[in-house]
């Protein structure tokens, strides 16, 4: 293997194929690309929707999907409260996004949950910092905030204004099965 790598390096040198990096244009990293930003949003989801029994990783993934794609939030509200017309009208009146929402219909649809591949990394990131704990056993594993997680939540609560407006509509009584079904099937 070492010989192959050396041969490859020699070929690159012979052809003067040295990498050229343009340092004039810095690469902007989107907040969504930062694990700390995404993990903080998970803390926010747990803080807004948490019950004493915690939330499943699946419903956290679904809610995170909605927060990353605000164009689907109104549709979710309509589907979630469609059986209670008075409540639906009340919730839609309370839902006030601060920006014009662009809907991206080019989302890759997953069969089960819109599971972002780095989700387990984010949960590990939070767990090693003692911000979340896992209770129960598989397949009923639940995530809850620790006391340190609750303290962290109080420090970031002013950051996610639009997300808070959306999540407040559900209180801490979000029906997980219903939410997962809407996200994955509807």
């Amino acid at each position: 293997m070492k010989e192959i790598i050396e041969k490859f390096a020699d070929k690159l040198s012979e052809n003067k194929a040295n990498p050229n990096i343009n340092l004039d244009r810095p690469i902007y990293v989107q907040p969504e690309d930062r694990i700390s930003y995404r993990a903080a949003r998970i803390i926010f989801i747990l803080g807004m929707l948490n019950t004493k029994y915690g939330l499943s990783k699946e419903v956290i993934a679904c809610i995170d999907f909605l927060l990353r794609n605000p164009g689907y939030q109104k549709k979710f509200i309509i589907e979630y409260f469609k059986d209670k017309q008075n409540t639906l009208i009340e919730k839609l009146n309370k839902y006030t996004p601060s920006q014009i929402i662009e809907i991206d219909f080019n989302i890759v649809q997953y069969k089960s949950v819109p599971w972002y591949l780095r989700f387990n990394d984010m949960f590990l990131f939070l767990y090693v910092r003692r911000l979340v704990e896992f209770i129960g056993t598989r397949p009923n594993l639940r995530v809850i905030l620790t006391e340190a997680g609750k303290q962290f939540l109080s420090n970031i609560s002013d950051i996610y204004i639009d997300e808070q407006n959306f999540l407040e509509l559900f209180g801490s009584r979000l029906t997980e099965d219903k939410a997962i079904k809407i996200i994955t099937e509807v």
Side-chain angles (χ1 to χ4, degrees):
M1 183 66 154
K2 184 178 176 184
E3 293 174 18
I4 294 171
I5 293 173
E6 288 176 355
K7 198 181 264 187
F8 178 70
D10 290 340
K11 287 286 186 188
L12 283 175
S13 298
E14 289 172 12
N15 295 332
K16 299 196 184 327
N18 295 325
N20 183 6
I21 300 172
N22 181 357
L23 298 176
D24 294 335
R25 291 181 49 200
I27 298 171
Y28 178 72
V29 178
Q30 297 287 336
E32 288 293 329
D33 294 333
R34 296 192 182 274
I35 194 168
S36 57
Y37 179 84
R38 297 287 305 279
R41 192 166 56 215
I42 290 172
I43 293 283
F44 188 76
I45 292 168
L46 283 167
M48 292 293 296
L49 301 177
N50 201 3
T51 66
K52 66 180 181 177
Y53 303 110
L55 297 171
S56 69
K57 288 171 41 175
E58 291 79 13
V59 81
I60 294 170
C62 287
I63 299 303
D64 183 67
F65 168 81
L66 287 171
L67 297 182
R68 283 184 287 126
N69 300 286
Y72 292 98
Q73 291 176 2
K74 190 170 187 178
K75 172 98 170 121
F76 181 81
I77 294 166
I78 292 168
E79 287 295 323
Y80 191 85
F81 295 108
K82 70 181 180 185
D83 297 334
K84 301 174 185 171
Q85 288 300 313
N86 291 337
T87 304
L88 173 61
I89 293 167
E90 174 191 333
K91 298 296 182 180
L92 286 174
N93 288 334
K94 286 183 180 178
Y95 177 65
T96 55
S98 65
Q99 58 188 344
I100 296 173
I101 297 173
E102 178 182 328
I103 299 177
D104 181 7
F105 289 109
N106 297 316
I107 292 177
V108 176
Q109 183 177 3
Y110 291 89
K111 182 151 177 76
S112 57
V113 173
W115 192 261
Y116 180 63
L117 294 177
R118 290 176 51 201
F119 244 83
N120 286 332
D121 295 342
M122 289 183 281
F123 282 117
L124 180 60
F125 179 86
L126 293 169
Y127 180 76
V128 298
R129 286 162 177 76
R130 294 185 169 90
L131 298 171
V132 299
E133 291 178 345
F134 297 95
I135 57 174
T137 58
R138 291 182 191 226
N140 299 318
L141 196 61
R142 313 289 286 173
V143 184
I144 60 169
L145 287 177
T146 62
E147 288 304 316
K150 292 173 186 174
Q151 178 61 40
F152 183 79
L153 174 66
S154 69
N155 295 334
I156 65 166
S157 60
D158 295 340
I159 296 173
Y160 299 100
I161 304 301
D162 283 338
E163 291 87 344
Q164 183 173 356
N165 173 255
F166 174 71
L167 294 177
E168 280 179 341
L169 299 175
F170 304 96
S172 61
R173 294 181 292 264
L174 181 76
T175 306
E176 289 193 24
D177 294 338
K178 186 176 184 179
I180 292 169
K181 182 178 180 186
I182 293 169
I183 296 297
T184 57
E185 295 178 22
V186 178

